[in-house]
Amino acid sequence: MVAVARLLNLTMVVPELDKRSFWADQSNFGDIFDVRHFITSLRDEVRIVKRLPKRFSPTDSSTTLDMSPVSWSDEKYYLHQISPLFSKYKVIHFNKTDARLANNGISTELQLVRCRVNFHALKFTPQIEALGNKLVQKLRDKGSFVALHLRYEMDMLAFSGCNHGLNPEEAEELKRMRYAYPWWRDKEIDSKTKRSEGLCPLTPEETSLVLKALGFEKDTLIYIAAGEIYGGEKRLKPLRAAFPKLVRKEMLLDSEPLRQFQNHSSQMAALDFIVSTASDVFLPTFDGNMAKLVEGHRRFLGFRKSVLPDRRKLVELIDLYNNKTISWENFTFSVQEVHRGRVVQPSCRRKLENKPKEEDYFYANPHECLANSSLCSGSKDTVTVR
């Protein structure tokens, strides 16, 4: 949205965050990010104000337009479709803002604005930074560690319709939740098909097998970067049995420092983000927004080791192993072969014509922000780790 404001020479209001989600987080932008730093660091790019001036009313339809921009749009869309709207309206409120600008086909100048926002302007509040760094230090004191983004929270499972390994009561509970949120479009979902296509997060049981097959030792220190795991400690039992040094932020910090962040999932996620970008190895069990952002930041910080699981091939191998069709040795060999090229390395984004959701996201591989950017300029065929 900063890039769009820059392109159209508009004044931007500090973003409002969605408060209707499952987590019911009432955090504002300023509870997570340093607003003053955000505004001042971008003052040469775009004018940003903290709130809508009083002379404008967000409910006055004669001056304010409430709309959702088309997803994955290029500069022409904003210049030819959005800019003319300001001849009638003084304020345009974009009520949906994720994935509204294309990954590719954007001018280098505008991509560099996105770089500046993502890696310089967006800075966590001093309180979050301090506690996040304290978590990192506590982990460092114990040695090297892996950040495991175990995306196995209730909202993820309900939204995705993935219920592999769950009992009928749990599957029904997730289905009821899916119907309770009208803006979740898909209601009836074939979990088995989605899993076979690699569109489900790995379960804690599956994750334990993958980590062992990839060569992680039993004494590996693993930090779980996630919200509350669906099923709690019972669901984590297989993973904890395989890796006893499994820790969460609640285990590393006293309750008092965490109290101000509890019931604020976005602020807790910010702590996980800090730990995930600083870890020796990062491994996500699902490629959602958090995983993509961490991957991109780890590239920016010098290509810190990130392993990107191929879930489609993994669930096939896991089922073969669990059915005793292949041995542990064959399973281990196959998992390692599949992931030999899935450790993040310098590469250009993969571009897929008319399939933006399936191509590499700008935030996961912002090559314009990196030292190898000249290798990718004008490239249509790309080298990719996927």
Side-chain angles (χ1 to χ4, degrees), residues 208-242:
S208 66
L209 289 174
V210 172
L211 288 172
K212 286 194 289 185
L214 287 173
F216 290 98
E217 301 290 342
K218 187 168 186 173
D219 65 349
T220 301
L221 178 61
I222 299 178
Y223 174 87
I224 296 182
E228 183 178 350
I229 301 301
Y230 187 60
E233 278 299 318
K234 182 181 178 182
R235 187 77 65 203
L236 283 173
K237 192 174 180 180
L239 185 57
R240 194 175 294 284

Side-chain angles (χ1 to χ4, degrees), residues 152-210:
Y152 205 76
E153 300 100 334
M154 186 178 186
D155 68 318
M156 179 70 240
L157 299 177
F159 176 78
S160 64
C162 297
N163 56 29
H164 178 74
L166 302 180
N167 61 45
E169 291 77 17
E170 291 171 324
E172 184 60 31
E173 179 182 39
L174 296 175
K175 184 177 180 179
R176 286 197 303 270
M177 179 184 173
R178 191 159 60 249
Y179 273 89
Y181 288 87
W183 49 89
W184 291 359
R185 287 180 297 179
D186 298 330
K187 304 300 182 184
E188 294 297 325
I189 299 173
D190 185 339
S191 175
K192 188 174 182 180
T193 298
K194 282 199 76 170
R195 179 175 177 269
S196 67
E197 293 174 348
L199 300 176
C200 286
L202 296 175
T203 68
E205 296 91 336
E206 292 169 339
T207 302
S208 66
L209 289 174
V210 172

